[in-house]
């Protein structure tokens, strides 16, 4: 299974790393971090760079595509990436996004007429790309799977691991990364957080 | 808040990226990825490098230390890192680990006589460092906090964010990363996974 994860300056690291950490554990997995220009890519807060080892042009017909989000997904020139997404989607088994990575799938024209999700703050922007925003953690539409904000990529990737390699492998990967969540709060979605917390999250963003 | 995350070849990316993604959102946070030798560090599967921008010697007296794990934590020469951990722990507000990062805290002598946790496959190895293994997701012992395997660093960091900046900030960060977990399986701990899944996870490791 070749998994391609395109990255860019201004990405949110966990959007990419959550699915990577799951999908890299699939049998015979090969994960390729790629970019229009290979090399180090800075996260949106500037604290870290992840390296794209591969040029987009060298990653042809991956089985799985995972598009992360972050401020960098919403600004700048992504023309080469969008072309690559359209071409890759023609032959992929699965085309997926995490967080505002969905806006890149949308900009590539892949979400037209489809249900999709993204980070809760950007849900309505999916309409600009002809998609129907859905407030769910993981949304499957045929071979396109979109995940909600940042950490939702872990759930999306476990779902995908099960589809690709069966439930026992999916469960073994969940156990390998000891994903038995116990958040100290129950404020992880807009429907659960208090109004004050939603406002605090908005004003900090 | 200065958060130091020492990295090394052979790390597990999510061990570091989970807490980073939470703690970088603290007010006035500065996250410094550091290593004995700055530069790119490869993950244990070889698919990705994260860059340490800073030399350990240049990161003095951080407020928070987060030590990730991975195969690289269990092999090789970590003498400079262990010296740095001992020195940093003297002045830190919080000294923490994720997954087998606890074995590095242990090797530095910081877990002597303390309750601690790590990835479920390595719990008993904590005894070699004089620690008492505890099968919990997040274990607090004074200013030392250890987390279980890989994904547990997210829960640990949210707990820590609340301690540092209060519950409202902790909750706003949880909402910002939309951490409202919905794993498709309930196999994330050895007590919940079937015997077959535990065996599959062990044989794949």
């Amino acid at each position: 299974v070749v998994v391609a994860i395109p990255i860019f300056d201004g990405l949110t690291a966990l959007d990419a790393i959550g699915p990577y950490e799951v999908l890299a554990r699939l049998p015979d997995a090969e994960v390729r971090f790629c970019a229009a220009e290979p090399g180090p890519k800075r996260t949106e807060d500037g604290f870290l760079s992840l390296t794209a080892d591969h040029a987009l042009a060298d990653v042809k017909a991956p089985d799985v595509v995972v598009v992360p989000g972050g401020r960098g997904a919403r600004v700048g020139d992504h023309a080469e990436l969008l072309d690559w997404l359209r071409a890759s989607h023609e032959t992929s088994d699965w085309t997926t996004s995490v967080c505002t990575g969905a806006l890149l799938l949308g900009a590539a024209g892949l979400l037209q007429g489809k249900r999709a999700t993204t980070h809760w703050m950007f849900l309505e922007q999916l309409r600009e790309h002809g998609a129907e925003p859905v407030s769910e953690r993981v949304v499957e539409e045929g071979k396109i799977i979109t995940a909600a904000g940042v950490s939702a990529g872990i759930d999306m990737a476990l779902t995908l691991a099960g589809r690709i390699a069966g439930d026992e492998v999916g469960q073994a990967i969940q156990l390998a990364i000891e994903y038995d969540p116990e958040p100290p709060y129950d404020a992880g979605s807009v429907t659960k957080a208090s109004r004050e917390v939603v406002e605090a999250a908005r004003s900090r963003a």
Side-chain angles (χ1 to χ4, degrees), chain A residues 4-7 32-39 41 51-62 80-81 84 88:
Chain A
I5 306 182
I7 60 176
R32 296 189 192 161
F33 286 86
C34 47
E37 300 268 340
K41 305 296 163 187
T51 298
D53 287 339
H54 306 275
L56 290 175
D58 295 334
V59 181
K60 294 193 167 67
E80 187 175 342
L81 173 56
W84 179 88
S88 297

Side-chain angles (χ1 to χ4, degrees), chain A residues 95-139:
Chain A
T95 301
T96 74
S97 66
V98 180
C99 199
T100 49
L103 300 176
L104 288 168
L105 292 188
L110 305 183
L111 299 182
Q112 202 70 39
K114 294 195 157 57
R115 301 164 70 248
T117 197
T118 183
H119 192 283
W120 58 274
M121 284 189 206
F122 299 93
L123 263 178
E124 287 303 310
Q125 289 194 24
L126 287 171
R127 294 192 197 280
E128 297 168 15
H129 302 297
E132 181 195 333
V134 178
S135 186
E136 291 172 11
R137 192 149 176 88
V138 175
V139 175

Side-chain angles (χ1 to χ4, degrees), chain A residues 37-202:
Chain A
E37 300 268 340
K41 305 296 163 187
R42 279 271 146 192
T43 55
E44 59 185 355
D45 53 33
F47 293 139
L48 175 65
S49 53
L50 312 181
T51 298
D53 287 339
H54 306 275
L56 290 175
D58 295 334
V59 181
K60 294 193 167 67
D63 302 301
V64 178
V65 174
V66 180
V67 185
R71 194 165 297 130
R74 310 193 303 274
V75 299
D77 173 19
H78 291 291
E80 187 175 342
L81 173 56
L82 300 183
D83 282 343
W84 179 88
L85 285 174
R86 281 183 285 265
S88 297
H89 183 60
E90 285 181 19
T91 53
S92 71
D93 292 328
W94 301 95
T95 301
T96 74
S97 66
V98 180
C99 199
T100 49
L103 300 176
L104 288 168
L105 292 188
L110 305 183
L111 299 182
Q112 202 70 39
K114 294 195 157 57
R115 301 164 70 248
T117 197
T118 183
H119 192 283
W120 58 274
M121 284 189 206
F122 299 93
L123 263 178
E124 287 303 310
Q125 289 194 24
L126 287 171
R127 294 192 197 280
E128 297 168 15
H129 302 297
E132 181 195 333
V134 178
S135 186
E136 291 172 11
R137 192 149 176 88
V138 175
V139 175
E140 292 190 51
E141 273 275 42
K143 73 178 194 180
I144 295 184
I145 314 184
T146 51
V150 194
S151 62
I154 301 172
D155 297 305
M156 184 276 286
L158 283 171
T159 301
L160 187 51
R163 296 275 184 287
I164 292 171
D167 289 343
E168 187 173 297
V169 170
Q171 291 173 18
I173 294 174
Q174 183 181 9
L175 182 57
I177 64 165
E178 211 161 347
Y179 186 50
D180 184 29
E182 288 181 29
Y185 307 113
D186 189 17
S189 88
V190 264
T191 57
K192 295 175 176 175
S194 70
R195 192 181 308 179
E196 291 71 25
V197 166
V198 174
E199 280 317 302
R202 277 192 197 280

